[in-house]
Amino acid sequence: MTQDVSVPDPMAASRHELAVANRILGHEGVIDAFGHVSLRHPDDAGRYLLSRSRSPELVEPVDFLEFDLESQPIRPPTVALYAERVIHGEIYKARPDVTAVCHHHAADVMPFCVSGKPLVPVFHLGAAMGAVAPCWTAATNLATPGPRKGLRSHARSGDMRWS
């Protein structure tokens, strides 16, 4: 009698876990309809997985595409892609220790981002962010010569503590 022994598929498991992460964060209101979570490729550190442009609550394992660290799709896409995918690629490129990135536009945080005042921890659990939370803006990136240089320099210096 032969026994059906299935071999675990790490990519299928990764896609499933990533879909679940997107759905939970979307359902719980942690990320908005434009938010997304990516994962460094489990077998190739020079790639990452990110879903097609879709509301996180609707993401399914089949929605994920592979990107290189320049945020170019490995296979020609037939679906819309997130424009912000370069944020993921630059963080993975600058920080080999990072295995997942979550990008979103948190309405509760936005006022602090535009106030011009530093965001500082006010109780012990906030200490993990450091003495002052960094603020990266599109203007910061555009003011630095060269494509993506501002984003790269912030990611390398550890100023982006989203990891």
Side-chain angles (χ1 to χ4, degrees):
M1 173 184 260
T2 61
Q3 190 174 359
D4 182 23
V5 179
S6 58
V7 177
D9 180 356
M11 278 302 291
S14 294
R15 289 173 188 269
H16 173 77
E17 291 289 323
L18 196 48
V20 170
N22 275 273
R23 285 175 168 252
I24 289 172
L25 293 173
H27 176 74
E28 295 298 323
V30 175
I31 57 179
D32 62 5
F34 303 104
H36 41 273
V37 183
S38 67
L39 178 72
R40 191 181 292 271
H41 194 290
D43 299 322
D44 184 346
R47 293 183 180 183
Y48 66 95
L49 303 172
L50 180 66
S51 78
R52 65 186 177 109
S53 183
R54 186 171 205 194
S55 177
E57 290 186 65
L58 302 175
V59 171
E60 298 180 12
V62 297
D63 291 327
F64 292 98
L65 294 94
E66 290 183 34
F67 296 89
D68 63 22
L69 297 186
E70 293 299 322
S71 297
Q72 295 302 311
I74 300 303
R75 290 179 191 81
T78 58
V79 293
L81 305 177
Y82 290 114
E84 303 101 331
R85 68 185 180 277
V86 296
I87 296 168
H88 299 258
E90 293 301 321
I91 292 171
Y92 290 127
K93 193 184 313 176
R95 298 281 306 276
D97 59 315
V98 171
T99 57
V101 174
C102 177
H103 172 76
H104 60 96
H105 311 104
D108 294 343
V109 177
M110 294 301 256
F112 297 104
C113 297
V114 298
S115 71
K117 302 291 182 190
L119 181 61
V120 298
V122 294
F123 66 102
H124 70 288
L125 294 177
M129 76 176 196
V132 176
C135 183
W136 179 90
T137 67
T140 304
N141 193 43
L142 297 174
T144 307
R148 305 182 194 167
K149 293 259 182 170
L151 182 54
R152 278 191 197 130
S153 66
H154 281 290
R156 277 197 193 100
S157 70
D159 283 352
M160 299 176 128
R161 297 187 187 131
W162 310 321
S163 52

